[in-house]
Amino acid sequence: MIPARNLRPLWTRQHRLTCQRTFSTSFINLKQSRSNPVKTNYNNLSFSDLPDPNHVNYRRVTANELESFKEPPTEVKMLVRDFIEDSLYNPHYGYFPKQATIFTYTDPIDFNQMHNAVQFQDEVARRYESFELTDEGPGRQIWHTPTELFKPWYGRALAQCLVAEYLLKYFPYEDLVIYEIGAGNGTLARNILDYLRDERPEVYERTRYNIIEISASLADLQRKLLLEDHPNVTVTNKSVFRWDTPEPSPCFFLAMEVIVSTSHHSSLYSNTTNLHFIQDNFAHDMIRYDLKTLEPYQGLVTIDGNGDFSMYYTRVTDPLIASFIALRRQLGHPPPIPKLLKLSPSLRSLYTSLPLAPNLSIPEFVPTRLLTLLRTLRQCFPRHRLLLSDFSSLPDTVEGVCAPVVQTRVRGTTVPCETVLVKQGYFDIFFPTDFERLRDMYEHVLTEPNLHPSLGVDDPRTTPLSTSISPLTAGANFFSSYHPTTRRTPVDGVTSSSGLPVGERKSSVFTHAEFMETYADLAQTQLKSGENPMLEFYQNVKFLF
């Protein structure tokens, strides 16, 4: 274990206690445990940010182990990603199961009849403001999604993207197989399927739409909305991180928004729109570097008997964190340490010996759960094409590199925090994504050896244009060892629908506007003033495809 000597974490912990208890007392009316004494002062200043000395005896837990807990645990310790997952997704007290509600409306907005962006935002505010207010407590956490905001045109834009790729590469020799994780109310799936049925019936007949949904209530809602009109839909109530069923066919994998929040209606029309997608709710781990040795340390959260939080750091022992650090090293992505300190051991020694100098680097939040998703795709969906959307930047984040926004809404007002150590279930925690690093990581993961025994070289996944004795199945290098840098190495033993082992093209990064200009019917979302919210909203959002 290593203590952090700089005073900033001390202030952060003190601020968290003050913020949490003030918020809890004023708005949430949390129940005090009868066995714990009532505290009245949370502003005691300490010059040691070491956790409760009894933490060594606390039980180490994971978010999976806490799923059966009906109340937040005490006298435990866990990795930061487990703390975040438990706070967001615990079925009994998590933020999404208990607090968040996706707002939808039956009649789509007629964009062409809106005079300007001000009138459009007023209309959005009018439609769901009454749902957010309650008599007491923080109020419902009502969020809207771009799918709901721009329906059906947002979903139709994604459908046109998928159809263009499918017709180019797979039709008519393969079915159109789509997987979506975190489908929310099911509106995106419905808009995509409605478009295929009405505009591309020959494709719709070959379509299989699969939803992987972690929320049981949302899975039921999706079945009610979709199955009657679209029997080609399958909804599986399961976490994607526990998915173990291989999909041998070519498929498209959608990782779009599950809950998209707006902290204030007037912020919708800016380049810092506070909206978030499923990837930014993937839990991250926290690491810090010893500035003297440059050794990484993993952060762990401790919760004492009173439910108060502390953070301490140990050498990296978690396999997932270790594998992320190793992958980053392979890709040449440097850690967030000043260049001079990285180059000079003597300068590091001098710097860390200064009075009150920090001995650890600033916190860095690393997307370990996103890495797990990429490996799941590589293992169970070896012929997939990923369409992913996420924030590329966020305002008002907590301290750290790639740090999240932590906030809730109280009676229509956003309450931000300066730490991730907040009362479980009452606060949203969402992260930005470095898309250039994500693309590098994703493409590298796809080149790793296939881990699933049933999807090996001997898998006879060929198309009608090839046979099992075709020399094309001998491997990617049968005719030539040359492969363009814009193409991935194809899966061994699998030919494309054209009969040539050319491999998929590598993913590209697009801004939100670039993607919509390519695939959306922008005339349908243009206002009378000429403004187009489909292009001008979400300026801090990007696509990977």
Side-chain angles (χ1 to χ4, degrees), residues 173-186:
Y173 304 109
E174 304 276 6
D175 289 341
L176 174 57
V177 182
I178 302 172
Y179 283 83
E180 182 185 359
I181 56 173
N185 284 344

Side-chain angles (χ1 to χ4, degrees), residues 220-236:
D220 290 338
L221 182 62
Q222 292 154 12
R223 294 186 185 102
K224 293 177 182 177
L225 177 70
L226 297 169
L227 294 185
E228 182 177 353
D229 293 333
H230 300 289
N232 53 353
V233 173
T234 300
V235 180
T236 303

